[in-house]
């Protein structure tokens, strides 16, 4: 169960309250409010608050471009134009605040996105719960043999079992000692800020994370990508679903131009033109390195 | 009239609409929504949207400090504690979006606050209106004779009149030529992005400005200060009134610890202790420069 | 002459001094130090300081990727890999500080790039010089007839002359009155912070601007682009030349992947594959809007 | 030994090289370059590069304030003025790049300072070393009994020994299993990005960290403070020593106005004036909460 009983009670109470507002309101997001969407074995994502909608973006763009934007007749066209031409400031006019529960090693990647506001649970002040991420057997991937960063096939048989046993037992031992060290029962009790150093990176933490839509899209482009580590990608994918309900036009443009798009180099464009002119271009004649050529082929590959 | 008829119509329409929401809602802010508060002769500030309230701040703080914050029994105490100890991240959990109309020379100061989102009216795309800030006679201050940055007494008589005449006539001439240059009536018409260079810095521009509460407080501390230029200070003061209605507990703490507070140096603390011990400390015996001593005296001055 | 005699004397003095350092040093940049490169009629760009070189980037990348990067055998390959995969943090390890003199309307665009450090000449404290940007006749472009933002052909004959006359005379009048208003000769003298509002946007200002290489590349991608306003583009182009001397490998990768590259949408990739498979795709069958199709054709256009 | 043999060889090689430069150069910092200053049991701080010196700050300030700053006759006076009045932008004109080796739980606090550039060793790509922070016995502090965040006395006797044994044995076991899980000797080998989750927060990581002087001062004010956790404070204190050698005038001002200074609230100023006027003010008559009063007394306390 990813949410504690206390948290659930608080959520239920807040969920029951409704207010009247003159602010832009999105029914799809209201449905998400105060609902914890489970991610991984003990994690979740839930929307705490949001500001703006698709119209807030076009409204801001129309302040910037004034009468000039009247030519683009509708919101969808304008939003696609803004996304295509990297006009990022109108997307910054929307903001979202999420409550996320996630393993520490995922949090360490996540926090590298600096343009966001964060309040994390502090293990200096408070005691962490005994909750650890233990991968499902099918997610126990081997190191990739083709690159230093990726994953290969799932581990099999005894090796998989051994890994799971270690992850579980080391987590348990670490937490037992954490509890024993901070205990004030018959002893002084180690400071929390010190005792936490014994806890492994698969322990769960939680935070409030607030970010504008432009920076969220940047996060999602990198973290919902196939090359992202699976354990952060599942959070990004869940957030993608939420954003789709929040700003459907913007999300559609993001999906087409960013998630589903590709960046070509000058060399790539040159090769492309030669190929379209009928030339049979190879890596050797492309001027690209092997790595670049492989990625380029991934973009232009002709369905056979 | 600071708002155009078109804008007023749009404001009235939005104002009439209300929605139901589960988000934190502040009645005091709902009243501000879609109301343009006049500032200077043609400017205004109006709230477009807001996220969060005083409770959103303590809620985020309690995520960070966990059970540790239970000790601080109420929201006001916790908010004052956060402000006093520069715990800024919980205040970042609130966000406000303003529509501001302001002279260009004010906008140039304002934009130096980088941690905010901005969409400004673009004079590359659109045509600026004939609206210029002309100071009220009592605001036509002379250069200060005591420091390089400040203002002295208001100009008097003929000198004041001459200044007003120049400001008005130069604005008018510049705008007449701006219009004539971009006109496509019987001529090609100069590009807008070039013609705008003829316009003086007292012309009005407008923008959407979105900022979190922590960064807004930083802005207000500098710009609502007595040393700020009057023409930006009046905007800051208007925003102070709005923030007071939005997050009254946080604003109260900000007023006490920031606006009404003072920073003492190590030397200042030392002198203070000597004074409290009965010593008659002078600038000469203080170890401070004349400037520092004058500012220090401003803080500790004994009511006579 | 874009640099004042005082400034030139200071530059010459600093230029004459050399020091011994263990820091990464780039001969090409040393040559730029304390040289003011003229831009527009009175502007300039000069390098004040720099930190790092191409090796600083790969050194930082190797800290991140550790032994993993040994596979990429050389610095150029690694830098191209980083650029291609948007690994931006190693590029942030280089920093440059420029002194720039530029018209106010250019400064207003430039400052929108927020991730940089700026110290601008303050007209609250000091008196601006009588220096205005007056475009060369061939740069007096008409408003574009095809889009709201662009420029068309240069103005001709009497119209061009009239524009130049107005720009010159309005600048002169504004400055005459500025001087007269702040004069303390026989009068109180208006505060500088007020008098500056009479000055048009083609007056020159100057600032120190410090930025890391990643954010500089972002600035250059947008401002050295053909769609940027000419008056800022010439600054960006001059900076491109400097960066090429500073970090030649990184600049080469930037040129290939960013300046000379293109972003394709998911729809664009789909069309491309159909075209490579021999299909004759048109805008009607592409699923793209007219604008998107026109831009797509600009990328894939087959040399005839 | 905090630096590996490989790293030391690289350091020695770089240290031997010197270059000629026209940039601002600080002899005190040249001595620091390529020297790893030990911190904690396996950590270090070393300066990789720096930009600017005290003069770079006043030079930038003089660009901003122009002739206005001539009045402040010397660099020290100007720097103290800037620090006292929160004129932060001139301090942003200096930049420093450090290589830091630190425990993960310290890194997690450190990274919350967002306005900096970071390249951290990646355990997705590479294998972490078997190096863990084990506190010295005298640093094994008990949880404070007066506040939730602080530390009390050092643990004694058996309790201390038990804690040390657990920290050591859990680290060892976790690392043994980490190694065994990623081993490809006779098995597939778990992906590094997964295996790292078994490692506790006292393992060492390292990064390049680049920051401007203004933001560094902000970091130091919070982290060299007596309330900061000791394990991050020792890094901050080491950096303070380095900064003192780099920009002695700025560091002096920082020490007086920030590290050694104090912020008084409006209520505090009021009480102070009453006390200076001879009144015997108590907490009850102060209008302050108990916590505020205790902190206020800490500032004004009269040496007995």
């Amino acid at each position: 169960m990813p949410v504690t009983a206390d948290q659930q009670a608080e959520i239920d109470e807040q969920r029951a309250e409704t207010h009247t507002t003159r602010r832009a309101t999105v029914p799809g997001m209201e449905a998400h409010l105060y609902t914890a969407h489970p991610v991984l074995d003990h994690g979740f994502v839930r929307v705490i608050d949001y500001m703006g909608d698709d119209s807030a973006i076009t409204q801001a763009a129309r302040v910037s471009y004034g009468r000039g934007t009247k030519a683009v007749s509708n919101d969808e066209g304008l939003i696609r134009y803004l996304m295509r031409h990297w006009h990022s400031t109108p997307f910054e006019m929307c903001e979202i605040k999420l409550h996320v529960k996630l393993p520490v090693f995922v949090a360490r990647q996540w926090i590298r996105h600096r343009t966001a506001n964060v309040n994390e649970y502090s293990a200096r002040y408070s005691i962490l719960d005994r909750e650890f991420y233990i991968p499902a057997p099918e997610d126990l991937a081997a190191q990739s043999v083709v690159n230093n960063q990726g994953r290969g096939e799932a581990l099999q048989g005894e090796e998989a079992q051994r890994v799971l046993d270690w992850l579980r037992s080391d987590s348990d031992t670490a937490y037992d000692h954490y509890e024993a060290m901070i205990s004030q029962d018959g002893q002084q009790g180690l400071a929390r800020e010190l005792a936490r150093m014994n806890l492994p990176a698969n322990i769960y933490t939680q935070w409030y994370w607030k970010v504008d839509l432009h920076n969220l899209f940047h996060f999602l482009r990198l973290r919902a990508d196939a090359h992202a580590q699976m354990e952060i990608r599942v959070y990004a994918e869940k957030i993608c679903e939420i954003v789709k309900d929040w700003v459907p036009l913007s999300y559609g443009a993001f999906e087409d131009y960013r998630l589903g798009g590709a960046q070509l180099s000058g060399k790539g464009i040159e090769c492309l033109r030669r190929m379209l002119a009928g030339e049979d271009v190879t890596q050797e004649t492309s001027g690209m390195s092997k790595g670049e050529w492989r990625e380029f082929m991934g973009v232009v590959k002709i369905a056979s």
Side-chain angles (χ1 to χ4, degrees), chain A residues 105-126:
Chain A
F105 71 96
V106 173
R108 295 240 294 137
Q109 285 196 322
W110 194 308
I111 202 77
R112 297 304 323 280
H113 295 264
R114 288 161 290 184
T115 315
N117 310 113
V118 184
N119 276 280
E120 185 178 355
Y121 187 86
S122 168
R124 283 189 81 191
Y125 293 77
S126 297

Side-chain angles (χ1 to χ4, degrees), chain A residues 146-170:
Chain A
V146 296
N147 77 59
N148 280 303
Q149 159 179 18
R151 291 187 185 193
E153 301 294 302
L155 300 186
Q156 299 297 323
E158 276 181 43
E159 185 181 352
Q161 192 54 51
R162 200 162 50 231
V163 164
L164 283 177
D165 289 347
W166 280 333
L167 292 176
R168 281 197 195 104
S169 64
D170 287 356

